[in-house]
Protein backbone atom coordinates (compact mmCIF):
# COMPACT_ATOMS: atom_id res chain seq x y z
CA UNK A 1 0.00 0.00 0.00
CA UNK A 2 1.47 3.34 -0.93
CA UNK A 3 2.06 5.97 1.73
CA UNK A 4 -0.80 8.29 0.64
CA UNK A 5 -3.34 5.47 0.50
CA UNK A 6 -2.19 4.13 3.87
CA UNK A 7 -2.52 7.59 5.45
CA UNK A 8 -5.99 8.03 3.95
CA UNK A 9 -7.11 4.66 5.36
CA UNK A 10 -5.62 5.35 8.79
CA UNK A 11 -7.17 8.84 8.92
CA UNK A 12 -10.59 7.34 8.15
CA UNK A 13 -10.21 4.62 10.78
CA UNK A 14 -9.08 7.18 13.37
CA UNK A 15 -12.10 9.38 12.59
CA UNK A 16 -14.43 6.36 13.01
CA UNK A 17 -12.78 5.50 16.33
CA UNK A 18 -13.06 9.12 17.55
CA UNK A 19 -16.77 9.11 16.62
CA UNK A 20 -17.42 5.79 18.38
CA UNK A 21 -15.43 6.80 21.49
CA UNK A 22 -17.88 9.67 22.03
CA UNK A 23 -21.01 8.14 20.47
CA UNK A 24 -20.99 4.99 22.59
CA UNK A 25 -21.58 7.12 25.70
CA UNK A 26 -24.06 9.54 24.08
CA UNK A 27 -27.77 9.00 24.82
CA UNK A 28 -28.74 9.59 21.18
CA UNK A 29 -25.76 8.22 19.23
CA UNK A 30 -25.22 5.02 21.23
CA UNK A 31 -27.75 2.67 19.68
CA UNK A 32 -27.16 1.28 16.24
CA UNK A 33 -24.28 -1.02 15.24
CA UNK A 34 -23.94 0.96 12.00
CA UNK A 35 -22.53 4.50 12.08
CA UNK A 36 -24.80 5.72 9.27
CA UNK A 37 -27.73 4.24 11.19
CA UNK A 38 -26.66 6.13 14.33
CA UNK A 39 -26.53 9.38 12.41
CA UNK A 40 -29.97 8.68 10.93
CA UNK A 41 -31.33 8.09 14.42
CA UNK A 42 -29.78 11.38 15.59
CA UNK A 43 -31.46 13.21 12.68
CA UNK A 44 -34.82 11.56 13.46
CA UNK A 45 -34.35 12.30 17.17
CA UNK A 46 -33.79 15.99 16.39
CA UNK A 47 -36.98 16.11 14.32
CA UNK A 48 -39.07 14.31 16.95
CA UNK A 49 -37.64 16.53 19.68
CA UNK A 50 -38.71 19.62 17.71
CA UNK A 51 -42.19 18.07 17.48
CA UNK A 52 -42.13 17.83 21.30
CA UNK A 53 -42.61 14.05 21.18
CA UNK A 54 -39.90 13.35 23.81
CA UNK A 55 -37.92 10.78 21.79
CA UNK A 56 -35.56 8.31 23.40
CA UNK A 57 -33.18 6.14 21.38
CA UNK A 58 -33.48 2.67 22.80
CA UNK A 59 -30.41 1.22 24.45
CA UNK A 60 -30.46 -2.34 23.17
CA UNK A 61 -31.44 -2.50 19.54
CA UNK A 62 -31.72 -6.26 19.22
CA UNK A 63 -35.46 -5.63 19.00
CA UNK A 64 -37.55 -6.48 15.96
CA UNK A 65 -37.59 -3.26 14.00
CA UNK A 66 -37.68 0.04 15.90
CA UNK A 67 -35.02 2.48 17.10
CA UNK A 68 -36.75 5.24 19.06
CA UNK A 69 -39.65 5.39 21.50
CA UNK A 70 -41.55 8.66 21.90
CA UNK A 71 -42.29 9.02 25.59
CA UNK A 72 -45.40 11.18 25.08
CA UNK A 73 -47.38 8.31 23.53
CA UNK A 74 -45.03 5.26 23.48
CA UNK A 75 -44.86 5.31 19.66
CA UNK A 76 -42.19 3.00 18.28
CA UNK A 77 -40.24 4.70 15.52
CA UNK A 78 -38.19 2.86 12.92
CA UNK A 79 -35.51 4.95 11.24
CA UNK A 80 -33.98 4.17 7.87
CA UNK A 81 -31.34 6.27 6.16
CA UNK A 82 -29.71 6.06 2.76
CA UNK A 83 -26.74 8.14 1.64
CA UNK A 84 -25.50 9.38 -1.71
CA UNK A 85 -22.74 6.76 -1.44
CA UNK A 86 -25.35 4.02 -1.90
CA UNK A 87 -25.27 3.26 -5.63
CA UNK A 88 -27.98 0.57 -5.56
CA UNK A 89 -30.70 2.81 -4.13
CA UNK A 90 -31.79 0.49 -1.32
CA UNK A 91 -30.65 -0.59 2.13
CA UNK A 92 -31.83 -3.02 4.80
CA UNK A 93 -35.25 -4.64 5.16
CA UNK A 94 -37.98 -2.78 6.97
CA UNK A 95 -38.94 -5.16 9.76
CA UNK A 96 -42.33 -5.14 11.53
CA UNK A 97 -43.11 -4.01 15.09
CA UNK A 98 -42.99 -0.26 14.66
CA UNK A 99 -45.71 2.39 14.65
CA UNK A 100 -44.11 5.01 12.42
CA UNK A 101 -41.29 4.96 9.89
CA UNK A 102 -38.97 7.88 9.32
CA UNK A 103 -37.03 7.73 6.08
CA UNK A 104 -34.01 9.94 5.43
CA UNK A 105 -31.89 10.46 2.35
CA UNK A 106 -28.57 12.22 2.85
CA UNK A 107 -27.24 13.99 -0.25
CA UNK A 108 -23.68 14.19 -1.53
CA UNK A 109 -23.46 17.62 0.16
CA UNK A 110 -24.05 15.85 3.51
CA UNK A 111 -27.42 17.57 3.96
CA UNK A 112 -30.82 15.92 4.32
CA UNK A 113 -32.09 15.66 0.75
CA UNK A 114 -35.33 13.79 1.50
CA UNK A 115 -37.25 13.23 4.71
CA UNK A 116 -40.43 11.23 5.05
CA UNK A 117 -42.79 10.00 7.74
CA UNK A 118 -45.45 7.31 7.41
CA UNK A 119 -47.58 5.34 9.83
CA UNK A 120 -47.47 1.55 9.86
CA UNK A 121 -51.10 1.30 8.75
CA UNK A 122 -50.60 3.63 5.77
CA UNK A 123 -47.33 1.90 4.86
CA UNK A 124 -48.85 -1.58 4.70
CA UNK A 125 -51.98 -0.30 2.98
CA UNK A 126 -49.84 1.28 0.26
CA UNK A 127 -47.70 -1.89 -0.09
CA UNK A 128 -50.86 -3.97 -0.46
CA UNK A 129 -52.24 -1.60 -3.09
CA UNK A 130 -48.98 -2.05 -5.03
CA UNK A 131 -48.86 -5.83 -4.50
CA UNK A 132 -45.41 -5.48 -2.91
CA UNK A 133 -43.67 -7.54 -0.24
CA UNK A 134 -44.69 -6.80 3.36
CA UNK A 135 -40.99 -6.58 4.33
CA UNK A 136 -39.41 -4.48 1.58
CA UNK A 137 -35.95 -3.01 1.66
CA UNK A 138 -35.85 0.70 2.39
CA UNK A 139 -35.19 2.49 -0.88
CA UNK A 140 -34.59 5.87 -2.39
CA UNK A 141 -37.65 5.33 -4.62
CA UNK A 142 -39.91 5.70 -1.56
CA UNK A 143 -39.28 9.47 -1.83
CA UNK A 144 -40.47 9.81 -5.44
CA UNK A 145 -43.67 11.64 -6.42
CA UNK A 146 -45.50 8.31 -6.52
CA UNK A 147 -43.50 6.77 -3.67
CA UNK A 148 -44.72 5.46 -0.33
CA UNK A 149 -44.01 8.66 1.60
CA UNK A 150 -45.70 10.92 -0.96
CA UNK A 151 -48.83 8.78 -1.36
CA UNK A 152 -49.22 7.17 2.06
CA UNK A 153 -47.43 9.50 4.44
CA UNK A 154 -45.63 12.82 4.39
CA UNK A 155 -42.71 13.66 2.13
CA UNK A 156 -41.36 16.90 3.53
CA UNK A 157 -40.59 19.68 1.05
CA UNK A 158 -37.02 21.01 0.94
CA UNK A 159 -37.99 24.31 2.65
CA UNK A 160 -39.43 22.44 5.65
CA UNK A 161 -36.41 20.12 5.86
CA UNK A 162 -34.18 23.18 5.97
CA UNK A 163 -36.39 24.77 8.67
CA UNK A 164 -35.79 21.81 10.98
CA UNK A 165 -32.00 22.13 10.55
CA UNK A 166 -31.58 18.38 11.02
CA UNK A 167 -27.85 18.13 10.26
Amino acid sequence: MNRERKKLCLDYLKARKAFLDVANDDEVLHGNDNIIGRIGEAIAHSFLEQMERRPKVITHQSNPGYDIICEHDNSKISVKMITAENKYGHTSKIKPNWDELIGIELGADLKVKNFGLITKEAFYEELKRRNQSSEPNFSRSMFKENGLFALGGIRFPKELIEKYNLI
Side-chain angles (χ1 to χ4, degrees):
M1 183 179 301
N2 72 27
R3 191 184 325 236
E4 187 176 315
R5 189 175 299 124
K6 184 176 181 178
K7 181 180 178 337
L8 183 63
C9 291
L10 286 171
D11 287 349
Y12 173 77
L13 291 171
K14 286 177 186 175
R16 279 180 61 100
K17 182 180 181 324
F19 178 90
L20 291 171
D21 286 348
V22 173
N24 287 338
D25 292 326
D26 183 273
E27 67 182 31
V28 174
L29 293 171
H30 71 273
N32 201 308
D33 63 349
N34 174 307
I35 290 177
I36 294 300
R38 290 182 189 210
I39 293 168
E41 290 167 12
I43 292 168
H45 185 278
S46 175
F47 169 78
L48 293 165
E49 205 170 44
Q50 291 178 61
M51 299 289 98
E52 298 181 4
R53 295 187 61 190
R54 297 191 336 257
K56 187 167 183 72
V57 174
I58 59 171
T59 305
H60 302 289
Q61 293 194 357
S62 58
N63 64 69
Y66 61 94
D67 308 292
I68 296 173
I69 294 180
C70 291
E71 292 182 334
H72 87 291
D73 66 356
N74 290 323
S75 294
K76 298 173 189 164
I77 313 295
S78 179
V79 180
K80 295 291 182 186
M81 186 159 95
I82 191 165
T83 67
E85 293 174 4
N86 184 309
K87 301 299 179 209
Y88 300 108
H90 59 84
T91 64
S92 58
K93 284 207 175 296
I94 299 171
K95 299 176 186 172
N97 299 334
W98 49 271
D99 301 311
E100 297 172 52
L101 172 68
I102 290 179
I104 304 163
E105 181 182 5
L106 202 61
D109 61 357
L110 306 179
K111 295 187 183 296
V112 176
K113 180 177 178 179
N114 281 300
F115 189 90
L117 175 67
I118 191 168
T119 65
K120 184 178 185 174
E121 294 78 22
F123 181 81
Y124 286 114
E125 192 174 297
E126 189 61 27
L127 287 178
K128 184 177 178 181
R129 190 181 70 75
R130 298 165 185 245
N131 292 320
Q132 290 182 338
S133 165
S134 62
E135 277 193 36
N137 286 43
F138 178 70
S139 71
R140 196 174 276 126
S141 66
M142 292 178 177
F143 295 111
K144 290 183 177 182
E145 294 278 329
N146 63 348
L148 286 167
F149 289 111
L151 298 181
I154 303 167
R155 189 184 72 187
F156 289 76
K158 188 169 182 66
E159 308 78 48
L160 201 50
I161 293 171
E162 289 171 358
K163 176 188 165 218
Y164 289 113
N165 194 28
L166 299 171
I167 193 166

